[in-house]
Amino acid sequence: MGEALVFQQVSFAYDSNVHQAVLQDVSFSVKKGEFVSVVGPSGAGKSTLFRLVSGLEKQNSGRILVNGKELADRQGHVGYMSQKDGLLPWLSVVDNAALPLILKGFSKKEVWPEVIKKLEAFGLKDVEHRYPDELSGGMRQRVSFLRALLGGSDLLLLDEPFSALDAVTKTVMHEWLLDQWAESGRTILFITHDVEEALFLSDRVLLFSEKPVSHLEEILVPLDRPRMVEDLKDPAFTELKEKLLLDLRKLVTL
């Protein structure tokens, strides 16, 4: 199967201040096709991890490999979406979704028909010419996810993409995301502070358990796939959720 992402003894400190390191000799890997979530309290370093994987920051030491390659510039090799959908308000839905292809030099005439088909498959039929402020939160996130897919990367980094949604919409989006992940075969690294969300979506959960982070505790999720909302009532799921919440509470300092 191979590995989509590998951290080998990665260290990072802002302003190269080794005495205030965020990550210290961190090693972990994500296999191709896996769905892995990263969970930790606020300020634990989740956003730093996002910036390192996406190439927005460069590690002070260690190696980061994407699909087996150590790249001088990871931007463009990792698809990502964040809590803010990042849609450009002056572009229509189809133009926002097609943006990665347009930036690669394709013309609108070339890509619009295929992008419109994909919008329909994402439950966005007949909204291709609307603008972001005319869409619901869930619809905006679907456009953002499609744009990440069209970027062409096999590795997708999602940074709390559903945290701004209401509980009902978030639940619907979880099931929708799992369907899209299963169909696309992509690898997803999902960053969240929501334990239930992480467990429901993931094959494995990586827990930030200290600062500076030198080790990520690994939790295997004991649920078969495909998953439905009803699985949240599974006793094994409930027990694991309570344990994780307790572990996280011990890490929070007021």
Side-chain angles (χ1 to χ4, degrees):
M1 180 180 290
E3 294 169 322
L5 176 67
V6 176
F7 269 45
Q8 294 179 346
Q9 294 185 303
V10 171
S11 295
F12 177 81
Y14 288 101
D15 299 323
S16 298
N17 187 342
V18 295
H19 299 295
Q20 296 182 4
V22 181
L23 305 182
Q24 187 68 51
D25 295 327
V26 171
S27 297
F28 71 93
S29 63
V30 179
K31 294 178 182 177
K32 291 182 179 180
E34 254 194 317
F35 197 126
V36 174
S37 286
V38 177
V39 176
S42 297
K46 299 189 302 298
S47 294
T48 299
L49 185 71
F50 176 95
R51 296 181 66 82
L52 285 168
V53 175
S54 63
L56 296 174
E57 297 283 358
K58 181 174 176 57
Q59 69 272 24
N60 300 129
S61 62
R63 303 175 72 208
I64 299 176
L65 287 76
V66 175
N67 292 319
K69 297 179 181 178
E70 187 174 9
L71 304 168
D73 184 3
R74 288 183 292 281
Q75 294 193 56
H77 294 273
V78 178
Y80 61 88
M81 60 181 287
S82 60
Q83 178 179 343
K84 295 182 179 179
D85 55 66
L87 301 182
L88 300 177
W90 58 88
L91 292 183
S92 65
V93 166
V94 63
D95 284 332
N96 264 295
L99 192 58
L101 300 175
I102 300 299
L103 293 175
K104 289 181 179 179
F106 293 97
S107 69
K108 290 184 179 182
K109 184 178 180 180
E110 289 178 288
V111 301
W112 263 29
E114 187 61 31
V115 172
I116 288 174
K117 286 182 184 179
K118 290 185 179 298
L119 285 168
E120 292 179 359
F122 274 35
L124 296 165
K125 185 178 181 180
D126 298 328
V127 303
E128 61 266 22
H129 298 302
R130 293 186 187 178
Y131 288 86
D133 62 0
E134 300 177 274
L135 305 181
S136 67
M139 294 171 78
R140 291 173 65 112
Q141 289 301 80
R142 276 180 271 167
V143 177
S144 182
F145 185 72
L146 175 56
R147 185 173 62 184
L149 285 175
L150 291 174
S153 174
D154 292 330
L155 173 61
L156 301 178
L157 178 60
L158 311 187
D159 187 10
E160 303 199 37
F162 305 139
S163 61
L165 303 180
D166 64 82
V168 174
T169 304
K170 182 186 282 192
T171 298
V172 173
M173 290 300 296
H174 286 163
E175 292 187 322
W176 176 86
L177 176 60
L178 288 179
D179 287 342
Q180 299 304 321
W181 166 68
E183 184 176 327
S184 71
R186 306 291 177 92
T187 306
I188 292 182
L189 185 64
F190 192 96
I191 297 174
T192 181
H193 65 275
D194 186 327
V195 168
E196 183 171 280
E197 177 176 66
L199 292 173
F200 179 67
L201 294 172
S202 308
D203 299 310
R204 292 184 293 137
V205 175
L206 301 177
L207 177 64
F208 275 65
S209 58
E210 56 192 344
K211 193 171 182 180
V213 178
S214 60
H215 171 73
L216 294 176
E217 181 183 350
E218 178 184 294
I219 298 99
L220 296 176
V221 181
L223 291 179
D224 294 330
R225 296 191 185 275
R227 295 178 187 170
M228 304 293 289
V229 175
E230 292 74 17
D231 292 323
L232 299 176
K233 300 176 183 178
D234 186 292
F237 181 92
T238 302
E239 182 180 346
L240 185 55
K241 175 185 171 183
E242 291 176 352
K243 179 185 180 303
L244 256 178
L245 285 171
L246 184 60
D247 290 343
L248 285 170
R249 283 182 63 184
K250 295 175 181 177
L251 301 175
V252 175
T253 55
L254 301 177

